[in-house]
Amino acid sequence: MQSTILKVMEECDSHGVTIPVVAVTSGKPLATLIKEIAALKGKPFGVLHRGEAADPDRLQVELDKHQIATHFFFEGDCDNAYCDRWEFSNRVLLQDGFARQQRNADHRQGVDEEYSDLAYRYRRKGFEGYGDHTIVGEIFTPTGGGKAAITVAIHLTFQTLVANRPQSIWIRHFLSDDSTATAPRAVCVRQALDKLGRFINQHRRAFAFSTACQYFAGPPASTPSLGVLKRRSIKHHLELMSHLNL
């Protein structure tokens, strides 16, 4: 998965799609940030605010000297007054909507959980864009968390499917029935995949836009690997974000 991500990043960079980003945290010295900016040699860049600078006035003076493409703010890390220092800049609000669990088995099966309503309110807060961490969450581990998970879990995001429910993005977890280390992995994958396929087929119209869900609803003749399932789930989430009609 990590090699795939790096390959995509390199391809995007070669087409000028990506921009470098420097991070602001409450504990980072301004001198360190200035060095990081100098290393970019005049390239446009973004600023990720993962906390409020100790001296926001000096930070603002320094950043105003440069061509900044976008300011990214994690919701909850900075208050409104801090964010409004750059109210005339391109600003994006970020949120990690994925509720990470210690074990896959700890996810609630068959229950709709609220993932994020940020897509429905970022404009009201004065931001030009929003972002999240898909169905992976902010914490990234190259090996997927170390030891192979005993319970297989597939995560699917979707718009509100129930009348009178608040406008939001929801998530549901599809778990394998077998949860022992001796259970064949292919059997566990098929158990989770079959549950996901039934759910999608029950709501065909809601998922008609998603090519990833068309794959899940099949289901595929051969049992896919966990890596394939995760990539498809991420692809669906990106398709969902693109599909939103707000």
Side-chain angles (χ1 to χ4, degrees), residues 26 56 95 123 141 164 201 228 231:
S26 57
Q95 183 187 63
R123 287 195 181 97
T141 53
N164 300 320
N201 284 318
V228 169
R231 287 194 293 272

Side-chain angles (χ1 to χ4, degrees), residues 21 45 75 88 99 123 138 163 173 185 191 212 224 236 241:
V21 172
F45 62 94
E75 190 168 50
F88 299 112
R123 287 195 181 97
E138 181 181 1
H173 314 284
R185 179 47 53 96
Q191 289 171 349
H236 162 71
M241 294 298 104

Side-chain angles (χ1 to χ4, degrees), residues 4 8 17 35 42 55 68 112 126 128 133 141 143 151 153 156 162 171 173 187 190 213 219 237-238:
T4 301
V8 171
V17 178
K35 289 181 180 179
D55 190 340
I68 298 176
D112 296 349
E128 285 68 46
H133 290 281
T141 53
T143 59
T151 301
L156 186 75
V162 180
I171 189 168
H173 314 284
V187 172
R190 179 58 63 179
C213 283
H237 183 78
L238 297 177

Side-chain angles (χ1 to χ4, degrees), residues 71-119:
H71 286 272
F72 300 92
F73 301 88
F74 259 87
E75 190 168 50
D77 284 357
C78 309
D79 64 25
N80 292 335
Y82 179 88
C83 296
D84 286 346
R85 287 174 174 270
W86 295 278
E87 63 179 326
F88 299 112
S89 302
N90 188 48
R91 301 186 305 165
V92 171
L93 190 59
L94 306 175
Q95 183 187 63
D96 183 9
F98 185 75
R100 188 180 181 89
Q101 302 294 334
Q102 288 293 324
R103 306 176 306 159
N104 282 344
D106 294 334
H107 287 290
R108 295 190 299 167
Q109 181 159 239
V111 176
D112 296 349
E113 298 176 356
E114 189 169 12
Y115 174 84
S116 173
D117 66 346
L118 192 58

Side-chain angles (χ1 to χ4, degrees), residues 35-231:
K35 289 181 180 179
E36 293 174 350
I37 294 174
L40 299 176
K41 299 180 179 179
K43 292 181 180 179
F45 62 94
V47 180
L48 173 63
H49 299 265
R50 284 310 316 252
E52 298 184 11
D55 190 340
D57 291 328
R58 288 185 60 201
L59 173 67
Q60 187 172 6
V61 169
E62 181 60 36
L63 292 181
D64 286 347
K65 300 175 184 177
H66 303 281
Q67 183 181 355
I68 298 176
T70 304
H71 286 272
F72 300 92
F73 301 88
F74 259 87
E75 190 168 50
D77 284 357
C78 309
D79 64 25
N80 292 335
Y82 179 88
C83 296
D84 286 346
R85 287 174 174 270
W86 295 278
E87 63 179 326
F88 299 112
S89 302
N90 188 48
R91 301 186 305 165
V92 171
L93 190 59
L94 306 175
Q95 183 187 63
D96 183 9
F98 185 75
R100 188 180 181 89
Q101 302 294 334
Q102 288 293 324
R103 306 176 306 159
N104 282 344
D106 294 334
H107 287 290
R108 295 190 299 167
Q109 181 159 239
V111 176
D112 296 349
E113 298 176 356
E114 189 169 12
Y115 174 84
S116 173
D117 66 346
L118 192 58
Y120 299 90
R121 58 182 174 83
Y122 74 96
R123 287 195 181 97
R124 296 198 303 270
K125 293 177 70 69
F127 289 82
E128 285 68 46
Y130 67 95
D132 57 44
H133 290 281
T134 72
I135 51 86
V136 178
E138 181 181 1
I139 301 174
F140 173 76
T141 53
T143 59
K147 296 185 296 183
I150 295 176
T151 301
V152 170
I154 309 173
H155 314 288
L156 186 75
T157 51
F158 48 90
Q159 286 182 276
T160 301
L161 297 174
V162 180
N164 300 320
R165 177 179 281 177
Q167 284 290 331
S168 189
I169 301 301
W170 300 80
I171 189 168
R172 183 177 280 226
H173 314 284
F174 301 88
L175 311 182
S176 60
D177 297 318
D178 288 313
S179 57
T180 62
T182 57
R185 179 47 53 96
V187 172
C188 294
V189 169
R190 179 58 63 179
Q191 289 171 349
L193 186 58
D194 286 347
K195 293 176 183 178
L196 172 60
R198 287 196 295 271
F199 179 76
I200 292 173
N201 284 318
Q202 289 170 2
H203 304 279
R204 279 187 173 274
R205 292 183 62 183
F207 295 105
F209 68 90
S210 172
T211 60
C213 283
Q214 292 171 20
Y215 171 85
F216 288 137
S222 58
T223 303
S225 67
L226 290 176
V228 169
L229 293 177
K230 178 168 284 189
R231 287 194 293 272

